[in-house]
Amino acid sequence: MLSVSNVAKSFGGLHVLHDVNFTADSASITALIGPNGAGKSTLVNIIGGVLKPDAGRVHLDGEDVTGVPSATAFAKGITRTFQISGNVGSLNVFESVAVAAYRQARGYRQANALARAELERFELWEYRDQQLGSIPTALTRLVDFARAMVSRPKVLLLDEVMAGLTPHEVDLVIRQVGTCREQGVAIVMIEHVMQAVEALADHVVVLNQGQVIASGSLGDVSRNAEVVEAYLGTPPSERDEVRVPADTPAKGQQ
Ligand SMILES: Nc1ncnc2c1ncn2[C@@H]1O[C@H](COP(=O)(O)OP(=O)(O)OP(=O)(O)O)[C@@H](O)[C@H]1O
């Protein structure tokens, strides 16, 4: 289990996170939602070892991993999807997952076997020979999952993996995020696409101006008056369903 306790972070005089608490269980999906600038990415960067908090602790299965470098966080089981960079654009789908598998494997045969198993799990085997730069964005997101899952993480951090996808592609990626959960991973997902939050989140944590203003099921938080005021914008009585545009500025920033 991942546990975040009393985390605070400032950049100069800008207090970005204050006293943030939440837990994420194995085999569950926690959606971090909130307006732009709420502090979601900063929080995920702290969990992943990219940033050190000014205060508070991060524990993984009871072990204090606060402020460890990202390579250490990764070695302990905290991984995240990365945007495919130009450097790996020349690799094909199989090679890009095999490279990640080499870190785990004893030799290239085992790495190749691990990569194949992951590509099959994510229904990517048929694309194995294609260059990363030549496949649709939705498939590159799935390759990212395969690369992340080949390291057998305990925690998977997903930062807006649905951004820019069509509704049909979102459905595809939703299914495969579910596959990651089935592997027992605690998934923490920053997500603005409510189709995905509705379909996937076991637990929703709402951040606003660096504070957790609500947590619980999506139904619970979407009935919370403070959440409606800060993020959803419309009282429940005036809307049929929760729909949040991708770029909702924080109240007060409008
Ligand atoms: N390295 C940094 N230096 C200074 N300010 C920063 C830094 N990183 C983030 N911030 C500021 O911290 C605040 C929170 O940013 P953060 O990216 O964590 O929010 P977010 O909730 O992820 O927003 P979005 O949904 O737009 O990605 C913003 O005001 C941002 O400008």
Side-chain angles (χ1 to χ4, degrees):
M1 184 182 76
L2 176 75
S3 152
V4 170
S5 318
N6 310 112
V7 161
K9 179 74 183 173
S10 298
F11 295 109
L14 183 66
H15 299 292
V16 172
L17 296 172
H18 326 253
D19 200 24
V20 171
N21 294 278
F22 77 93
T23 57
D25 290 328
S26 303
S28 80
I29 297 177
T30 301
L32 273 183
I33 69 170
N36 294 131
K40 305 179 296 294
S41 297
T42 302
L43 182 56
V44 161
N45 283 333
I46 287 171
I47 296 167
V50 176
L51 292 171
K52 290 187 183 190
D54 300 331
R57 312 309 302 172
V58 178
H59 287 91
L60 178 61
D61 291 340
E63 183 182 1
D64 191 340
V65 293
T66 314
V68 298
S70 53
T72 308
F74 175 79
K76 291 184 181 295
I78 300 176
T79 192
R80 61 189 303 171
T81 58
F82 292 96
Q83 292 298 105
I84 299 288
S85 73
N87 290 339
V88 291
S90 59
L91 297 181
N92 67 30
V93 166
F94 181 82
E95 290 163 342
S96 76
V97 179
V99 164
Y102 282 125
R103 291 197 237 178
Q104 310 295 122
R106 290 185 299 275
Y108 76 93
R109 277 178 199 279
Q110 193 187 17
N112 287 351
L114 288 173
R116 177 173 182 148
E118 233 36 76
L119 289 172
E120 287 177 344
R121 193 198 311 278
F122 288 98
E123 300 173 19
L124 291 167
W125 184 242
E126 66 183 286
Y127 303 100
R128 62 190 175 278
D129 294 328
Q130 297 206 23
Q131 299 297 116
L132 280 177
S134 72
I135 59 174
T137 307
L139 292 182
T140 65
R141 302 272 160 84
L142 302 188
V143 174
D144 285 347
F145 293 165
R147 287 164 57 85
M149 292 299 292
V150 83
S151 68
R152 302 284 175 266
K154 294 178 181 172
V155 174
L156 178 60
L157 306 171
L158 303 179
D159 195 347
E160 296 197 46
V161 292
M162 307 294 173
L165 304 185
T166 66
H168 176 72
E169 289 174 327
V170 168
D171 280 337
L172 173 69
V173 176
I174 283 172
R175 190 156 57 82
Q176 298 296 19
V177 174
T179 300
C180 299
R181 173 172 50 193
E182 283 164 22
Q183 302 305 302
V185 181
I187 297 170
V188 177
M189 175 178 89
I190 296 177
E191 195 49 72
H192 285 290
V193 175
M194 281 295 132
Q195 179 190 348
V197 176
E198 286 174 298
L200 287 168
D202 299 298
H203 191 71
V204 177
V205 174
V206 188
L207 272 183
N208 186 42
Q209 297 182 353
Q211 288 182 303
V212 176
I213 59 169
S215 65
S217 69
L218 181 60
D220 290 343
V221 302
S222 63
R223 284 188 292 273
N224 179 298
E226 201 178 345
V227 175
V228 172
E229 167 78 2
Y231 185 45
L232 301 175
T234 318
S237 57
E238 292 175 24
R239 62 194 152 83
D240 299 328
E241 53 186 339
V242 177
R243 282 281 174 263
V244 180
D247 288 310
T248 308
K251 199 168 168 63
Q253 294 182 349
Q254 289 160 315

